[in-house]
Amino acid sequence: MSRDSDYGAFMEKFILQPSSSPHQLPLNALTFAVKEIFDVDGHVTGFGNPDWARTHSAATSTAPAVLAVLRGGATCVGTTVMDEMAYSINGENIHYGTPTNPCAPDRVPGGSSSGSAVAVGASLVDFSLGTDTGGSVRVPASYCGIFGFRPSHGVVSTTGVIPMAQSFDTVGWFARDPVILNRVGRVLLQLPVVDPVRPSHIIIPEDCFKLLSIPSDRTSKVLVKSIEKLYGGHIVKHASLGDYVMDRVPSLAHFFKGIETQEYNIPSLVALSSAMRLLQRYEFKNNHGEWVRTVKPVLGPGISERVQEALGTRDENIDVFPSVKSELRAALTDLLGDFGILAIPTVPGPPPKLQTETTTLETFRVRAFSLLAVAGVSGFCQVRSLSLSLSLSHTHTHTQSRGF
């Protein structure tokens, strides 16, 4: 199969069979692909960059998350293209080509798990594995019109996965339909088969929907009607998430400096995003700064600037982040209870056109990370559904299944 016929999604193709007889196993007869950030025994984990691949040897073991779905009965068919060093949500790669968005070929597929999302969206595999630090499963799932799941932070092993920023790194997965999304999730989360739990309430934060580039009533009203049809209108609650976070997360005061207010945004969520990206840069520098300085890799536009910014990050305000996280977790726990759902847009609009100048995307990026930071900082799970909005569930007991 050529690069054209596989939508440019794959880095390397090979077959890894289930480790035991697949009959009666939950993922029997399903195929999957993995982002080339996961170790696969005998293969170089390329991290989206040829200089990285050139300076690293082949893995000597396979990541536990990959082994888990193999043991579940699925067959791996290869590794997928990703944004360099996982440092973009666009999905463009100047070295290996940009996987073609099957929904909109003239637009970016989303990243950094671009190839994994495209492989699923183009029906090349049944499901795929990716990672989500700042949005790298949720964004490409949204752009490619498929389901994507970011689990609660720390519940799926990231051993054998190249770290981007450990405080936020999660192993996520993609599927075209909720049944397969559920089955893969039960394997990775080691959950028993149980009846779905009815949500106690679903919160619609109207301020978040105003970040959208299309009229918010075209999305929030459709969402509310769907909820009313499924569960009845009594469980729908409306809120201003920005005001709530402002009141309940006082430690964010350290991150309001320099926030622009002339274009519509939600200051407390922009501050939340600023806190998240500061720690992300700091941890990225600690993980990869020495390699970048030594090897001086060739990096694409946007990513090169981001990496250099990360290398210059100091530890100012880093020690405030644990307070921000604990305050936000407590606030969302109070808001959602055990069975509540917060329904928010994944991204503020359709995917940008291919090769759009980085500077013209700045407003879009600010709004996108304002939305993405809610799950990123809290560590709560988030499912990207087939509507414009997605659900974020509070899950101390890991009951992610109710998002399916």
Side-chain angles (χ1 to χ4, degrees):
M1 187 182 285
S2 70
R3 290 277 291 177
D4 289 339
S5 61
D6 70 8
Y7 290 73
F10 284 90
M11 279 297 301
E12 186 180 1
K13 293 188 176 176
F14 50 80
I15 299 293
L16 288 180
Q17 299 284 2
S19 51
S20 57
S21 175
H23 300 295
Q24 308 301 315
L25 293 174
L27 306 181
N28 178 34
L30 297 182
T31 59
F32 74 101
V34 298
K35 182 178 184 176
E36 72 150 359
I37 200 170
F38 290 84
D39 284 350
V40 176
D41 189 11
H43 299 265
V44 175
T45 311
F47 208 21
N49 179 273
D51 290 316
W52 182 279
R54 174 178 59 80
T55 55
H56 289 77
S57 54
T60 57
S61 60
T62 298
V66 177
L67 291 175
V69 290
L70 286 169
R71 292 191 191 107
T75 298
C76 180
V77 298
T79 54
T80 56
V81 174
M82 61 175 283
D83 295 54
E84 298 173 81
M85 304 187 81
Y87 221 146
S88 175
I89 57 170
N90 268 7
E92 295 175 297
N93 189 307
I94 63 163
H95 306 288
Y96 304 125
T98 297
T100 302
N101 186 330
C103 289
D106 63 331
R107 294 178 180 269
V108 298
S112 61
S113 308
S114 53
S116 289
V118 166
V120 170
S123 300
L124 305 176
V125 291
D126 296 304
F127 70 93
S128 62
L129 299 184
T131 58
D132 190 310
T133 303
S136 291
V137 165
R138 293 163 288 166
V139 172
S142 177
Y143 289 178
C144 292
I146 58 176
F147 290 93
F149 196 88
R150 173 197 165 100
S152 300
H153 185 260
V155 300
V156 178
S157 172
T158 53
T159 300
V161 180
I162 299 173
M164 199 280 181
Q166 293 90 325
S167 291
F168 311 104
D169 291 345
T170 60
V171 169
W173 57 99
F174 300 92
R176 287 185 301 281
D177 74 77
V179 174
I180 291 179
L181 194 79
N182 185 312
R183 284 161 64 186
V184 175
R186 293 196 180 285
V187 168
L188 287 170
L189 298 166
Q190 303 175 47
L191 292 173
V193 176
V194 294
D195 292 331
V197 177
R198 286 180 66 89
S200 56
H201 56 291
I202 298 178
I203 296 169
I204 313 291
E206 300 291 351
D207 55 340
C208 292
F209 282 88
K210 289 178 182 173
L211 293 175
L212 297 177
S213 59
I214 58 175
S216 59
D217 59 356
R218 284 177 52 189
T219 49
S220 59
K221 283 182 179 177
V222 172
L223 176 62
V224 168
K225 285 181 180 177
S226 299
I227 294 168
E228 289 173 347
K229 186 175 179 181
L230 281 170
Y231 301 113
H234 65 285
I235 73 166
V236 177
K237 311 291 181 189
H238 295 270
S240 170
L241 185 61
D243 290 345
Y244 184 75
V245 169
M246 182 79 81
D247 291 341
R248 294 291 305 267
V249 189
S251 295
L252 274 180
H254 296 271
F255 298 97
F256 278 97
K257 183 180 178 183
I259 289 178
E260 300 291 332
T261 55
Q262 52 265 49
E263 297 232 30
Y264 182 79
N265 64 31
I266 303 171
S268 61
L269 298 190
V270 176
L272 196 67
S273 166
S274 296
M276 180 182 80
R277 288 186 293 155
L278 171 66
L279 184 56
Q280 185 179 356
R281 290 192 297 268
Y282 185 74
E283 292 186 341
F284 180 91
K285 179 184 77 168
N286 289 342
N287 289 327
H288 306 303
E290 185 178 344
W291 179 82
V292 171
R293 291 189 189 98
T294 303
V295 174
K296 297 179 175 56
V298 176
L299 299 169
I303 293 173
S304 176
E305 290 82 354
R306 245 166 266 140
V307 166
Q308 288 306 313
E309 184 183 16
L311 264 56
T313 302
R314 295 186 302 233
D315 60 3
E316 183 182 3
N317 285 334
I318 293 293
D319 59 344
V320 180
F321 187 83
S323 298
V324 172
K325 180 173 183 175
S326 62
E327 289 165 7
L328 181 65
R329 287 180 65 87
L332 292 179
T333 298
D334 289 347
L335 186 67
L336 298 174
D338 285 333
F339 303 113
I341 290 175
L342 179 65
I344 58 177
T346 314
V347 287
K353 295 268 192 176
L354 288 165
Q355 297 177 330
T356 301
E357 282 291 330
T358 306
T359 51
T360 65
L361 291 176
E362 193 51 35
T363 298
F364 186 91
R365 284 177 57 83
V366 168
R367 292 182 179 184
F369 282 113
S370 296
L371 296 165
L372 296 164
V374 179
V377 175
S378 68
F380 287 4
C381 67
Q382 190 168 358
V383 60
R384 191 275 161 188
S385 66
L386 288 181
S387 67
L388 249 179
S389 68
L390 55 80
S391 298
L392 166 68
S393 298
H394 161 49
T395 57
H396 280 319
T397 52
H398 311 323
T399 51
Q400 283 92 339
S401 55
R402 66 174 172 273
F404 301 145

